[in-house]
Amino acid sequence: MSNESSTGGPAAAAGDGVAAAARALGDLAGSVETGAVPYDRLVAGGRRRLRRRRLLTAAAAAVLVTAVVGGGAVLGERGRQTVSTVAAASASVSASGSAPSSAAATPTAPARDPFTPVRVRVGEGTVGGRSWQAWAALWPAAPTGEDAHRQEELLWEDRHAAIPQLPRTTDAEVDRAWRADLDAVNLYLTLDGTRQVDDSVHRTVVPGGPAAVSLPPSPFSGGGTVLGLKGAELGDSPVLICGVAPQVAKVVVTWVTGGSTEAVPVAVGDSPTHWFALAKKPGSDARTFTLYAADGSVLGADTTWFRSS
């Protein structure tokens, strides 16, 4: 049996609550003004709330900007990213009344900077007792023609430091060569730690760009160059630097006089073109270059490099 009495049970309590609510609603209805809707007061009240919201937003943004400037933020590409972050945080404060949770932030990949090259050593060895290193400097594609001219000036300065006689590229040449979907790759050698005058500049496709889609499938994706010849720095053993597709895991060259040499392609930044480098065997032509995938399957072959005839 229930311990509740017939007069003090849940049903009676509920009835009392309904009655109390009805009396409250009646009192509230009696206090409501009748007549025309007070549009002027509604509009004025909305304007006051809007002004207060704008003042709060401006104050929040000012505090955030002051914190950034006080912390010594540096403008430029990273500075622009910082200011964008501040603006986003300010908008979030205005919309929700609180700062966004750090746990909800999604990290973004660093932007490709057309004015700062990515330098990677793509091969090294010893010839005649001298140590050589092959380098690829990737200059990400300039998004505009104006940026292309600035990039070319920086690239020329970088090369000119090692090649004093290097002529400047003309504006017309820059305009003809520039494409927003092509990176510039400067290939060069160092010998005993000193950059040599022999170098080369190639254009390669940007990751995911339309040029990458339109090119016919080929394991040789970036072309190549043979360096170390201009000043006879490496005598009979110049260095080949060649670009290949990312699926190429190993390159094996066999020599006419016997034996073979292997090289492993190296990624340079986020470019889809990987690069390898190897020196010619003194006194011997190459018989063939064979490109292998990671599973050992043959992806392609070339018989034109390091051939005297």
Side-chain angles (χ1 to χ4, degrees):
M1 177 180 292
S2 171
N3 291 328
E4 300 284 352
S5 69
S6 61
T7 59
D16 293 342
V18 171
R23 287 193 300 272
L25 288 174
D27 294 341
L28 179 62
S31 66
V32 173
E33 296 181 9
T34 60
V37 177
Y39 288 111
D40 54 343
R41 278 181 287 169
L42 290 176
V43 171
R47 287 173 177 167
R48 286 194 298 271
R49 286 192 296 272
L50 179 60
R51 283 195 297 270
R52 287 197 298 270
R53 185 178 301 168
R54 287 175 176 170
L55 288 173
L56 288 173
T57 302
V63 170
L64 289 170
V65 171
T66 301
V68 171
V69 174
V74 180
L75 292 181
E77 183 59 35
R78 293 185 179 179
R80 286 194 293 272
Q81 293 173 356
T82 301
V83 172
S84 298
T85 303
V86 170
S90 173
S92 179
V93 169
S94 173
S96 64
S98 61
S101 170
S102 59
T106 302
T108 57
R112 308 181 88 231
D113 185 354
F115 311 126
T116 304
V118 178
R119 300 180 193 274
V120 176
R121 185 177 66 245
V122 298
E124 60 185 346
T126 303
V127 174
R130 307 189 71 181
S131 298
W132 61 267
Q133 292 182 331
W135 294 83
L138 173 72
W139 295 76
T144 67
E146 182 180 357
D147 289 338
H149 283 267
R150 181 184 171 194
Q151 181 189 74
E152 180 59 33
E153 180 66 19
L154 294 173
L155 174 56
W156 179 85
E157 291 175 357
D158 191 56
R159 301 175 65 202
H160 183 257
I163 314 171
Q165 69 276 21
L166 182 70
R168 288 184 179 274
T169 308
T170 66
D171 289 343
E173 289 171 336
V174 175
D175 292 336
R176 284 195 300 269
W178 170 68
R179 280 180 54 177
D181 59 349
L182 294 180
D183 295 332
V185 182
N186 182 206
L187 308 175
Y188 61 92
L189 287 178
T190 61
L191 192 61
D192 294 334
T194 301
R195 178 165 171 166
Q196 301 299 290
V197 298
D198 202 1
D199 78 346
S200 179
V201 177
H202 292 253
R203 298 286 173 175
T204 61
V205 298
V206 301
V213 176
S214 63
L215 287 175
S218 170
F220 294 96
S221 61
T225 187
V226 176
L227 302 180
L229 298 171
K230 284 187 178 179
E233 299 95 340
L234 296 177
D236 187 38
S237 189
V239 172
L240 167 68
I241 309 176
C242 188
V244 294
Q247 62 265 30
V248 177
K250 181 175 66 174
V251 180
V252 178
V253 54
T254 57
W255 305 102
V256 171
T257 59
S260 64
T261 304
E262 295 186 3
V264 176
V266 178
V268 180
D270 62 354
S271 173
T273 301
H274 294 184
W275 297 88
F276 73 89
L278 53 83
K280 180 179 180 294
K281 181 179 179 179
S284 178
D285 286 352
R287 187 181 302 279
T288 185
F289 284 78
T290 306
L291 280 56
Y292 293 91
D295 62 3
S297 60
V298 175
L299 297 174
D302 184 271
T303 60
T304 59
W305 295 111
F306 288 156
R307 298 295 294 271
S308 57
S309 60

